[in-house]
């Protein structure tokens, strides 16, 4: 497994807990909103920043995709 995918799984689990959801629900939501590839491809930035910054970014993207 690549380091990017390992980190994505970690991020997904933490992001889901932050949202009060299960990881599978959060993954489904990211896929439905077209953000799965975006989140995986943000490895270079997300892994060096505070995780809460990644959470804020993903939440912002989810909100903008909902409106």
């Amino acid at each position: 497994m690549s380091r990017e995918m390992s980190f994505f799984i970690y991020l997904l689990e933490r992001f889901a807990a932050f949202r009060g959801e299960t990881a599978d629900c959060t993954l489904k939501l990211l896929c439905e909103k077209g953000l799965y590839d975006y989140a995986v491809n943000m490895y270079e930035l997300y892994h060096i920043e505070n995780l809460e910054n990644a959470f804020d970014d993903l939440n912002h993207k989810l909100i903008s995709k909902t409106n």
Side-chain angles (χ1 to χ4, degrees), residues 4-36:
E4 291 86 358
M5 188 53 61
S6 293
F7 179 78
F8 174 73
I9 292 168
Y10 171 74
L11 174 67
L12 176 65
E13 291 173 349
R14 296 288 306 273
F15 185 49
F18 174 80
R19 292 177 51 87
E21 300 175 339
T22 61
D24 60 330
C25 287
T26 302
L27 178 59
K28 182 179 177 186
L29 180 62
L30 290 174
C31 289
E32 287 173 355
K33 301 297 181 180
L35 293 171
Y36 171 81

